[in-house]
Amino acid sequence: MSGIDNHGPPLLKPAKLNTPIAVEIDDLNKWYGDFHVLRDINLKVMGGERIVICGPSGSGKSTMIRCINRLEEHQAGRLFIDGVELTADLKKIDEVRREVGMVFQHFNLFPHLTVLENCTLAPIWVRKMPKKQAEEVASHYLSRVKIPEQASKYPGQLSGGQQQRVAIARALCMNPKIMLFDEPTSALDPEMVKEVLDTMVELAHDGMTMLVVTHEMGFARQVANRIVFMDEGQIVEASVPEEFFAHPKHERTKLFLSQILR
Amino acid sequence: MTMAEGDLAVAEIAFVRGASIAPRPPPAAMTGVLGWVRANLLSTPFNIGLTIAIVLLLGWAIPELVKFLLIDAVWTGTDRNACLEYVQHREIGACWPFVWERLPYFIYGSYPISERWRVDVFFGMLTIGIVWLLWLNAPRRDLAAIYFFAILPVASFILLSGWAAIGLQPVDTVLWGGVLVTIVVASVGIVVSLPLGILLALGRRSRMPAVRLLSVIFIEFVRGVPLITVLFMAGVMLPLFVPEQLSPDKLVRALVGIAIFASAYMAEVVRAGLQSIPKGQYEGAMAVGLRYWQVMRLIILPQALKVTIPNIVNTYIGLFKDTTLVFIVGIFDLLRTIEVARIDPKWATPVTSTTGYAVAAIFYLVFCYGMSRYARAMEARLAKGDRR
């Protein structure tokens, strides 16, 4: 499963914990109709911190990070993103979305636009950046995800791994403070998982605040400051990777780990 | 025995390629004209039967058409005698002198003869606008849009209906007719129905219940009523509701009726396109911070309209032909002028009606086929993003 093994690059330094709080989730609750999908979620993420969220499917982990940029509404509790409280207020939603980048399982690139246009669209229309400057920024980030030569192609002409790297570059072009990753490697062919994870590791080295929903336990071990395990819409256990893998406390965590680790 | 079998199986499974196989050309039966005919016309017994049937049908219809329209046709003459079999003592096809003499009437209706240059100028301006806008590599297409959607309508209105202050004699729309009316009605319908249809489609998918309800009521009401009824309501009932001096012109009322009717259909066509766009596209666009109208304009509509081009053009073609229904409220479109001309005693012969209808058929066919071809070219051009 894992694209990165234990003997890879050295572990990252822990985030400096005196930085301001990037995401604060207070007693968050959400329902789909009668179904209570998120139950009393509490989580504080410091600036520069890297959180990996894992758990069985249907445990609410995707829903939780989608609440952070309001792709999902919450019905109770409070959410502060970089100091801004997220409510139904459209202004606040816009403000938060400008600062939070997101990478999806299925990339969600815009198929009718070239790779470069995918990257410049939001800086031009949301940040009001001049087109030329936006293209420079886009070229910079496309080089960083190592596909500068694909800029004039359409997403449909790229491999899955390349598309996901474009999606990362697209999010970075908005110069976000926080990056959300919703199972970024789950839809990829096995041989493309590593190139995407490598890009994310680099991002982590640069000190980006990251919330990553993933089943890549090698990545979690190498990059995460904390691992959050969710089940049935609740946070069951949260701890540093060494502790999480070596001494899981909760029965559900133990069961989950025994199922995914060989 | 079992040992030997095991050895044999292993020997067959293990394989290492030595030299790589170079690509070879396909067999001759797959290429060239013969290959195409085999693959497309004669591939199965059913296909062979179909090919034979179509060849027979074309072999029967095309000579008949050519015979009527060209070989037996009458080319010169001044009245009905030129096109009468018992006067000319020969088989008579199309009666072209009739068309030739009444052509100005087919084009301008009863528009005053001294003012018909204004209609010609309008046709010219419209042609420039259409070519400029539809020719995708033309320079300054942004100006073309301003010209087509802002300058042209105002200029055409002043030019055609007249403005005494600048020396253009007013011409009542009652006098307009023929191709002029058909083109005006179709253009207004085509130009208004797409933006209005898009707004209605977005309204129908809106999260705001009031907007959604209004859109649904509008679409379902207009769509649930025959066009003839809409035209009757626009032509006859509207004047009952508004004071006489405010009551718009008869042609304007028909234009509004057609535009509203086409918009309701267009709304459903566009909605189908909107529904084909995956949810991920909305989420991807919202996640980078785009607002509702930006998401729609930059991400959703370009993709939705692209997949609905065939349906949009289908609606346009239907609309273009439906303009003939305005005759029902007393407006003389092309078909109506032909109807009037064909019963003129001066040209009354057994072939006059057929000739007139042939002219109408050719006119509508040329325009509709043109729209169809342009749409195909556009689809091919827009398909670039789908290459894999």
Side-chain angles (χ1 to χ4, degrees), chain B residues 270-284:
Chain B
V270 173
R271 190 167 69 93
L274 290 175
Q275 268 166 351
S276 74
I277 305 302
K279 205 167 141 239
Q281 289 292 308
Y282 293 89
E283 293 181 348

Side-chain angles (χ1 to χ4, degrees), chain A residues 110-230:
Chain A
F110 309 130
H112 62 303
L113 301 177
T114 63
V115 165
L116 190 70
E117 288 165 342
N118 264 278
C119 293
T120 56
L121 188 83
I124 289 174
W125 290 93
V126 181
R127 291 247 190 257
K128 311 290 175 204
M129 199 184 275
K131 189 173 176 223
K132 214 164 163 263
Q133 193 190 341
E135 283 176 354
E136 279 165 20
V137 171
S139 302
H140 169 74
Y141 283 111
L142 286 174
S143 303
R144 258 191 63 179
V145 301
K146 301 194 178 62
I147 35 175
E149 72 283 357
Q150 313 283 7
S152 57
K153 288 195 180 164
Y154 286 89
Q157 297 168 287
L158 305 185
S159 73
Q162 290 173 324
Q163 290 193 44
Q164 193 60 298
R165 284 184 286 150
V166 171
I168 294 173
R170 177 176 75 178
L172 291 178
C173 282
M174 283 295 283
N175 197 16
K177 294 188 175 132
I178 301 162
M179 285 283 284
L180 309 175
F181 292 84
D182 188 1
E183 305 206 24
T185 57
S186 301
L188 295 176
D189 289 337
E191 74 270 25
M192 294 170 183
V193 170
K194 187 171 182 304
E195 63 187 57
V196 171
L197 289 180
D198 285 350
T199 309
M200 291 166 62
V201 171
E202 262 180 56
L203 203 55
H205 274 288
D206 293 344
M208 176 64 75
T209 309
M210 296 165 73
L211 282 91
V212 184
V213 172
T214 186
H215 296 298
E216 296 292 340
M217 288 302 127
F219 173 82
R221 209 187 285 267
Q222 186 194 347
V223 165
N225 301 115
R226 254 192 303 165
I227 298 182
V228 172
F229 175 69
M230 288 182 70

